[in-house]
Amino acid sequence: MSSPVTTHPLPAPSGSPARPPQATAVAAQPLAPWVRNADAELCFTQGLPCIVPQRPARVPMTQRSWVSCLWSASVGYAVDEWAGRAPERMGTLRLAAGYAALHGVASLAWLGPWARAVQLGSLPLSTTLRSRTQRDTLRRSADALRALWPHRPTAVRNIDAADEDLRITLQAQGFTALPARVVYWLDAARANRASHTKRDLGLLRKGGLIELPDSAFDDSVLVEQALALYTLVYRAKHGPRNPDYTAPFLHWARGAGVLRLVGLAQPQDDGLRLVAFAALHRVGEVLSVPMLGYDTAADTRQGLYRQLVAWLIHHAITHELRFNFSSGAGDFKRKRGFEPHLEHTLIAPPQRGWTRASDAAFIALAARASRHLDAAALMELGA
């Protein structure tokens, strides 16, 4: 396989570690040209990206991307998942009542802080990896960052066991930790022993696909093909709340070192045809894959998704990377040596303004309602 495909973290923050620096928002970028269904701006301050939802929103509530709207990421996505299984779940009055109750909770939650929350230290990706410097900046500067948007709730996504110090510090500053999702981390020893991994690696070796490095995606036609494959998997198959990325976003992300692309192509008489790709987001020795896609119309015997995941597992193990494979497809990932871990979102009410008390009440209610949720409970629900 190829040499490492690496990315680099965003610029490190300035300022003395001994004293929280004054946070000043800079370089605001509207997200709409990069993510069509995101009503938000991406702001950079103290070396940290922050996603700021626009008010009022222009994208319909049913389509707002969860990378820019915490309501879509939590309640909205849960409603969509339930609705997608409506035929199997509506067979009894009890389940139908549960669906109606979920819609009621969704409507109530819309009044809470989630749709308005500013995400501190987040890129418009399913999982944002942070360098040690960026985590230290969040610890030191949370109050100063919140002061940039004093009338807005603020949140920090993608907090797992490795961020325990950050979680404790932010909770002491008024943030509440809410269980968000189950994410899957690669256990290299288990992956090497897993029969499914061995079969998938064998399929990759025999499949005859050609690996395309990141430099191949300097070709704009190949970028559009990758986005089309992404759309087949994430938006056509899983729903309109998934981010509707554009070619300008991939151009920026590759140029900024946020993403590197890898493709698998099928030889044809007239050249190569892209049949699968992945976007690699790497910071230090940690890897995640916020985007991937494959030809869903291909013969299932090709196992394109299995081949792509086999490439990713081999890449992570070969280069001794900790691999966070985000959420979803839990059974598939567990059979290939990935271990489930509960990820939290930290959220705090505004520092001032008329919604401060009501937002704090909503957050407290959500904390009480979810206090018994752990990874096992979420997996029972299909995570």
Side-chain angles (χ1 to χ4, degrees):
M1 300 248 176
S2 70
S3 59
V5 182
T6 62
T7 68
H8 304 283
L10 292 167
S14 59
S16 167
R19 189 175 67 182
Q22 178 64 38
T24 304
V26 294
Q29 162 68 40
L31 275 182
W34 290 355
V35 186
R36 294 184 185 94
N37 58 341
D39 265 347
E41 287 186 333
L42 181 65
C43 299
F44 290 89
T45 178
Q46 295 297 321
L48 293 173
C50 299
I51 295 176
V52 185
Q54 294 173 341
R55 307 293 294 176
R58 292 188 297 272
V59 177
M61 182 173 67
T62 56
Q63 299 176 24
R64 294 185 73 189
S65 173
W66 46 259
V67 298
S68 61
C69 175
L70 286 185
W71 185 90
S72 287
S74 52
V75 181
Y77 209 88
V79 171
D80 291 352
E81 284 286 300
W82 191 295
R85 300 180 187 181
E88 66 187 69
R89 290 190 169 182
M90 293 300 107
T92 69
L93 181 61
R94 181 179 178 183
L95 290 177
Y99 183 53
L102 182 60
H103 264 288
V105 170
S107 300
L108 181 63
W110 183 257
L111 303 175
W114 290 274
R116 294 175 282 111
V118 175
Q119 297 180 42
L120 305 180
S122 283
L123 290 163
L125 304 173
S126 57
T127 301
T128 297
L129 302 179
R130 303 181 184 97
S131 67
R132 181 182 296 276
T133 303
Q134 289 172 322
R135 292 196 299 270
D136 288 344
T137 300
L138 276 172
R139 269 197 297 269
R140 299 193 320 266
S141 307
D143 280 340
L145 290 167
R146 291 177 67 192
L148 292 174
W149 302 279
H151 295 87
R152 293 287 197 101
T154 48
V156 181
R157 292 178 59 230
N158 306 131
I159 300 296
D160 63 16
D163 299 310
E164 186 71 6
D165 290 346
L166 176 59
R167 181 185 64 79
I168 292 171
T169 300
L170 292 182
Q171 283 184 290
Q173 297 179 19
F175 285 78
T176 298
L178 300 176
R181 59 180 187 161
V182 175
V183 296
Y184 289 89
W185 286 86
L186 181 67
D187 182 314
R190 290 182 60 194
N192 281 327
R193 293 194 303 267
S195 60
H196 287 75
T197 299
K198 293 175 183 177
R199 287 199 294 268
D200 294 350
L201 287 170
L203 182 64
L204 179 63
R205 285 191 294 269
K206 298 173 184 176
L209 299 179
I210 306 299
E211 181 186 326
L212 301 179
D214 181 74
S215 58
F217 291 86
D218 291 342
D219 182 343
S220 60
V221 173
L222 204 59
V223 168
E224 292 295 345
Q225 291 174 357
L227 286 170
L229 295 177
Y230 164 84
T231 298
L232 284 174
V233 173
Y234 279 83
R235 290 182 52 76
K237 187 175 180 181
H238 294 299
R241 293 190 199 276
N242 285 287
D244 190 3
Y245 291 117
T246 67
F249 171 74
L250 285 182
H251 176 73
W252 170 80
R254 293 177 64 227
V258 171
L259 296 178
R260 289 290 182 266
L261 304 184
V262 63
L264 297 178
Q266 194 170 55
Q268 294 185 326
D269 292 341
D270 57 350
L272 297 174
R273 182 174 73 91
L274 185 71
V275 294
F277 90 101
L280 311 184
H281 175 45
R282 177 178 169 183
V283 173
E285 300 308 309
V286 183
L287 172 72
S288 71
V289 181
M291 297 175 65
L292 59 78
Y294 58 92
D295 182 0
T296 57
D299 189 332
T300 56
R301 289 174 295 184
Q302 281 189 274
L304 291 176
Y305 182 57
R306 290 172 55 202
Q307 291 196 56
L308 181 62
V309 174
W311 187 96
L312 293 167
I313 289 173
H314 180 84
H315 177 79
I317 292 175
T318 301
H319 301 294
E320 299 181 339
L321 302 176
R322 296 180 61 234
F323 182 10
N324 179 336
F325 204 5
S326 194
S327 60
D331 183 64
F332 178 95
K333 293 172 184 176
R334 289 191 293 270
K335 289 176 178 176
R336 285 153 180 83
F338 288 85
E339 290 193 333
H341 293 270
L342 184 64
E343 185 182 85
H344 288 83
T345 293
L346 299 179
I347 187 165
Q351 290 184 325
R352 55 180 185 266
W354 66 272
T355 66
R356 181 180 181 182
S358 60
D359 284 349
F362 270 106
I363 293 169
L365 179 62
R368 286 195 298 272
S370 61
R371 64 186 182 278
H372 297 305
L373 280 181
D374 57 14
L378 290 175
M379 284 190 289
E380 286 183 6
L381 297 173

